[in-house]
Amino acid sequence: MDANLRLAQRPEADALLGRSPLAALVGMLLDQQVPMEWAFAGPYTIAERLGGDDLDAREIAAYEPEAFAALLSAKPAVHRYPGSMAKRVQQLCQYLVEHYDGDAAAVWEGVGSGKELLTRLQDLPGFGKQKAQIFLALLGKQLGVRPTGWRAAAGAYGEQGAYRSAADITGPESLAKVRAHKQELKAAKKKTQKPL
């Protein structure tokens, strides 16, 4: 995998995301309840703190849980909820070791259809349907992973020309468009909620 991703908006963090399937998966896992750039910079911060230039699923899976949580909690914290996210990252890595011999790219390599890929992604710890669809769209739109029916399996996130998620971010301008879309969704949701 060698792609020019711009999700963290930091060259060194984006370079890791572009070359490391595991870093991309971990960034997607971290992408909740924090700004997208913070989430996708997380894998780089973790790799640095582990003393390497990439993430290793076996190393993370075997890491002592309290020590790994402390690693993510050190200032600046990798996530707003570093303890719970440390546990999720370890669960993801343990699953990859158990089911894919520690190779994150094996989740999508040789997959027969978008539907099958969506199922594989949803089977990953911490990946619900929406997160799986966003990552599937990211794979298709920016990483060239396009099994038959990938756009349909990604749902609205797979639409061409949409600015809905991390899958559509290629720089600061598209990041602003995705942010604007999310703000519109929040405002619309607020309008439909009735006060108690």
Side-chain angles (χ1 to χ4, degrees):
M1 187 168 109
D2 192 19
N4 185 20
L5 296 179
R6 304 275 303 274
L7 301 171
Q9 304 287 301
R10 284 178 44 204
E12 64 283 355
D14 283 328
L16 175 61
L17 294 170
R19 73 174 183 271
S20 170
L22 180 56
L25 269 179
V26 169
M28 189 73 235
L29 179 69
L30 295 172
D31 187 20
Q32 58 188 52
Q33 300 178 322
V34 294
M36 245 180 286
E37 307 94 308
W38 185 4
F40 283 99
Y44 179 78
T45 304
I46 295 168
E48 263 194 327
R49 291 178 184 175
L50 288 171
D53 63 355
D54 197 353
L55 299 179
D56 181 295
R58 291 183 185 284
E59 178 185 9
I60 293 170
Y63 216 87
E64 197 282 316
E66 284 184 25
F68 192 66
L71 188 105
L72 270 66
S73 299
K75 302 289 183 215
V78 170
H79 194 274
R80 178 184 295 167
Y81 304 107
S84 62
M85 293 314 287
K87 184 176 180 180
R88 286 187 179 185
V89 170
Q90 283 197 289
Q91 288 170 339
L92 173 63
C93 289
Q94 289 160 353
Y95 183 90
L96 291 171
V97 168
E98 186 179 327
H99 296 273
Y100 295 101
D101 198 31
D103 180 7
V107 174
W108 54 84
E109 286 176 346
V111 73
S113 69
K115 187 177 177 182
E116 180 187 349
L117 178 51
L118 181 62
T119 299
R120 285 186 180 193
L121 290 169
Q122 283 184 264
D123 287 344
L124 297 174
F127 278 69
K129 184 175 182 182
Q130 183 180 29
K131 192 175 287 284
Q133 286 183 311
I134 292 169
F135 195 76
L136 197 161
L138 177 67
L139 287 169
K141 290 179 175 183
Q142 296 197 46
L143 299 174
V145 177
R146 300 179 179 124
T148 304
W150 73 270
R151 281 193 192 274
Y157 300 105
E159 290 175 11
Q160 197 162 354
Y163 292 97
R164 288 189 169 87
S165 71
D168 305 303
I169 296 172
T170 56
E173 187 179 308
S174 53
L175 173 62
K177 288 180 182 180
V178 169
R179 283 232 163 85
H181 174 76
K182 289 184 178 212
Q183 291 302 321
E184 287 171 21
L185 289 178
K186 275 185 185 174
K189 188 177 179 182
K190 219 175 196 178
K191 277 185 179 179
T192 61
Q193 291 177 336
K194 297 187 188 322
L196 298 175

